[in-house]
Each structure stands twice: as C-alpha cells, then as structure tokens.
Amino acid sequence: KIAERIRNSVASGIFAAGDNSLSVTISIGVTTGHSDALDPEILISDADSALYKAKEGGRNRVVMVDF
C-alpha cells in the first residue's frame, strides 16, 4: 500500500526542470521477508527481481514478489 501511494504521488505530480515541466512515473519492486531475509544481499536481489517484473509489465506499477 505504501509503495502504491508513493507511485501515485509521483505520477500525479508535475516537476520543474528549468523552464520545463515534467511528468514522471516510477516502477517499484517489493518483496516480503522470508527465511533468508536477514541477508541484505538476498533481500535486495529479490526486490530487484520484482522491479524488473514491474518494468516488463508496462512500467508505472508496483510489483510485489513473495519468494
């Protein structure tokens, strides 16, 4: 829910870049804890995999993967 709120907030905003205005979207990968979640490298790898699934699915989305 938090990641989706962040995504919506970014997508609904207009960002200034000098004299230009930009619309921005983001994709977010989220993973849940599991028995190996105490290892930061595994947790980051799992979230990274979820992020790539989000991008493959069309971008501007949140994907949560349970491993």
Side-chain angles (χ1 to χ4, degrees):
K1 289 181 180 184
I2 293 170
E4 189 62 33
R5 284 195 318 222
I6 292 168
R7 188 198 63 76
N8 279 325
S9 179
V10 170
S12 65
I14 302 294
F15 299 89
D19 293 335
N20 299 313
S21 297
L22 300 173
S23 297
V24 178
T25 62
I26 60 173
S27 295
I28 301 173
V30 178
T31 188
T32 59
H34 51 78
S35 61
D36 294 327
L38 296 178
D39 184 340
E41 289 185 23
I42 292 174
L43 192 59
I44 290 169
S45 177
D46 291 351
D48 192 50
S49 294
L51 172 61
Y52 279 98
K53 289 180 189 235
K55 290 181 176 185
E56 290 170 3
R59 301 180 189 248
N60 192 32
R61 63 185 62 226
V62 174
V63 171
M64 186 171 96
V65 178
D66 294 319
F67 288 97

